Amino acid sequence: MSLDRRTFLKWQAATALSLAGSCAAGPLSVWAQKPPDLAVIQGGPEAATRAAVEALGGMGRFVRPGQRVVIKPNMSFDNPPEMATTTHPAVVSTLVALCQEAGADTVMVRDHTLRGVEQCLEHTGIREACQPLSGSDVRGVNVPDGFAPTSIPGATHYTETAVMGEVLEADVLIAAPVAKHHGSTGVSLSMKGMMGLIYNRGELHWRYNLHTAIADLMRLLRADLTVIDVTRALTTNGPSGPGEVKQMDTVVASTDMVAADAQVVSMVPWYGRNITPDKVEHIRVAHEWGLGRLDIDNLHLHRAAV
């Protein structure tokens, strides 16, 4: 993945769209046709995932024919989907299918698992769900050779790390976490989930301020598309569980990781009480650093049921 290249392509596409729209119909029409900042879709995991991506403009907005895509779900624990510690397998397989329908050359599902790789792939159900999709590639990467030393441009605290090599070579990165509580950070959503693409995540806990390090990491690992599985949420005793699981039957999607995380924080009763996004330090820091927005009330939200 070339971040500079990805950024350039986004700028190029946005500029072309803006110019074309301005010439054809004027600025008000362009604004009216702009995809929402957030999509909140209620429904089953497959239907809600498809509808959420479609609401943002469809997978073709993010994946071009021939591109290499990495999807980062939660599959670090060897638990079944009912425990809500891992992303629902149907959410992941639906994203793989959408990428393939958009013409992706390769779709890799990757995580640096905390438990044994084979047990995680089997018990989460993610590998089995993706097996019918020819060309999909679901693996855990836990060996040092799978990671490459990388600096984090613009970082203020956490300035370098070792990132999964396949992620650095990919054209598109999709974050697909499950909504869950975390004992150290309050919640584990898309921003926290990026720690599963680096090798030495332990040092973020003991060497750095964990929250600022997560925000710094986002400067390097900023997903092109974030799809959060809120079909059920682990509201206590995360990240490994077992804990209280609340059935939510919802999928949240955005191009803004901070906004997606903030939206999910606001809609789930964490450890028995409601909290606001600014109470989660890494979300607040990322917002203050201009990496995304937590003021979700000021964003364009598309809400639907399927």
Side-chain angles (χ1 to χ4, degrees):
M1 176 180 63
S2 169
L3 292 178
D4 290 341
R5 182 169 178 271
R6 287 172 47 210
T7 302
F8 172 74
L9 289 172
K10 286 180 178 178
W11 172 84
Q12 188 179 48
T15 301
L17 177 62
S18 177
L19 289 174
S22 297
C23 294
L28 292 178
S29 296
V30 171
W31 179 254
Q33 296 171 7
K34 184 182 177 183
D37 300 303
L38 285 159
V40 179
I41 309 296
Q42 189 170 21
E46 178 177 351
T49 299
R50 279 189 173 272
V53 174
E54 185 62 30
L56 295 183
M59 190 60 83
R61 178 186 172 192
F62 308 99
V63 177
R64 309 286 174 79
Q67 288 190 316
R68 294 166 55 85
V69 181
V70 168
I71 298 174
K72 166 60 181 74
N74 284 118
M75 57 180 189
S76 265
F77 297 99
D78 54 343
N79 297 330
E82 308 86 75
M83 291 180 64
T85 59
T86 55
T87 308
H88 196 292
V91 170
V92 181
S93 63
T94 300
L95 289 173
V96 172
L98 289 170
C99 291
Q100 292 181 336
E101 291 166 16
D105 176 70
T106 307
V107 184
M108 298 168 280
V109 178
R110 294 289 185 270
D111 199 359
H112 178 181
T113 64
L114 289 166
R115 304 274 171 79
V117 170
E118 279 304 306
Q119 291 87 348
C120 290
L121 297 182
E122 179 180 352
H123 295 161
T124 61
I126 292 175
R127 181 171 59 186
E128 181 180 4
C130 293
Q131 275 178 343
L133 302 166
S134 62
S136 65
D137 180 12
V138 182
R139 283 192 284 152
V141 181
N142 289 3
V143 295
D145 289 349
F147 298 80
T150 308
S151 61
I152 302 177
T156 57
H157 303 279
Y158 185 51
T159 57
E160 59 183 4
T161 187
V163 177
M164 203 175 289
E166 292 168 314
V167 176
L168 295 172
E169 296 170 357
D171 300 297
V172 180
L173 175 61
I174 298 175
V178 68
K180 61 179 178 178
H181 167 256
H182 194 285
S184 297
T185 55
V187 297
S188 178
L189 300 166
S190 69
M191 292 176 61
K192 172 68 174 61
M194 289 297 109
M195 289 175 63
L197 295 178
I198 64 175
Y199 184 69
N200 188 4
R201 55 188 159 199
E203 68 174 356
L204 272 72
H205 290 268
W206 58 264
R207 187 176 179 183
Y208 299 92
N209 177 297
L210 180 57
H211 292 277
T212 55
I214 290 171
D216 266 336
L217 184 61
M218 186 186 163
R219 299 180 189 273
L220 177 66
L221 299 176
R222 191 181 305 195
D224 299 279
L225 170 65
T226 296
V227 178
I228 303 181
D229 169 18
V230 204
T231 57
R232 63 275 183 271
L234 179 70
T235 63
T236 64
N237 203 31
S240 61
E244 181 178 346
V245 176
K246 183 172 179 58
Q247 195 70 25
M248 301 286 288
D249 297 319
T250 302
V251 170
V252 173
S254 180
T255 58
D256 181 339
M257 297 171 72
V258 179
D261 286 6
Q263 175 63 33
V264 174
V265 167
S266 71
M267 57 191 281
V268 175
W270 303 101
Y271 22 92
R273 61 192 179 94
N274 297 321
I275 62 173
T276 54
D278 62 299
K279 301 302 181 187
V280 180
E281 186 176 345
H282 60 270
I283 294 177
R284 178 181 55 76
V285 170
H287 173 86
E288 291 174 350
W289 288 355
L291 300 176
R293 295 179 62 176
L294 66 72
D295 57 327
I296 51 177
D297 291 341
N298 296 322
L299 298 179
H300 178 196
L301 186 150
H302 171 80
R303 191 185 299 275
V306 294

